[in-house]
Amino acid sequence: MVESALVLPIILLLLLGMVELGRVSNAYLAVMHAARHGARYGAVGATNDEIISRVLSSAAHLDSTNLTVLINPESGRQSGQDIKVTVTYPITMLTPLTGSIFTEPITVRSDITMLVE
């Protein structure tokens, strides 16, 4: 019983850390996937509004109000140029212990550059 009382907090700490790491990894993969979709859509001639709409629909399970999409260049894209889509998303920690360690939200970011066709 005493050994369980000593080991249980450590096991719970590891378990909650894995849950938070899984949340951050899931958000990173969603942001990377959304940026790739946006860059590909922009590479075939879509407008900025269409690119942003595609990014938001690709990352539908994330809170779209916190999702930031930057497109470079913003206008005048021509065939042979690069288009760069940057998507960022802040993640706040859910568990109290990790929330006290990471007081600021962790920001996941993905930059995807593609050649305009």
Side-chain angles (χ1 to χ4, degrees):
M1 189 72 118
V2 173
E3 292 164 348
S4 296
L6 292 173
V7 174
L8 186 64
I10 295 170
I11 291 174
L12 286 176
L13 180 66
L14 289 173
L15 179 66
L16 293 175
M18 286 188 291
V19 168
E20 292 290 0
L21 181 64
R23 287 183 62 240
V24 171
S25 298
N26 181 31
Y28 175 72
L29 288 174
V31 163
M32 186 174 59
H33 178 71
R36 187 178 300 120
H37 272 274
R40 180 65 192 139
Y41 206 54
V44 295
T47 65
N48 287 353
D49 291 334
E50 292 171 337
I51 294 170
I52 291 171
S53 174
R54 177 60 63 104
V55 167
L56 294 178
S57 68
S58 296
H61 72 280
L62 298 178
D63 183 12
S64 62
T65 58
N66 291 334
L67 208 61
T68 305
V69 181
L70 299 173
I71 303 166
N72 187 19
E74 292 183 12
S75 62
R77 293 183 288 270
Q78 297 175 356
S79 180
Q81 282 184 323
D82 286 340
I83 181 171
K84 180 178 180 181
V85 176
T86 303
V87 180
T88 57
Y89 183 74
I91 302 170
T92 56
M93 297 293 119
L94 292 179
T95 58
L97 183 62
T98 54
S100 64
I101 294 171
F102 299 104
T103 56
E104 297 292 321
I106 295 175
T107 303
V108 292
R109 173 183 168 175
S110 181
D111 301 319
I112 302 292
T113 303
M114 289 193 179
L115 192 66
V116 175
E117 295 178 6

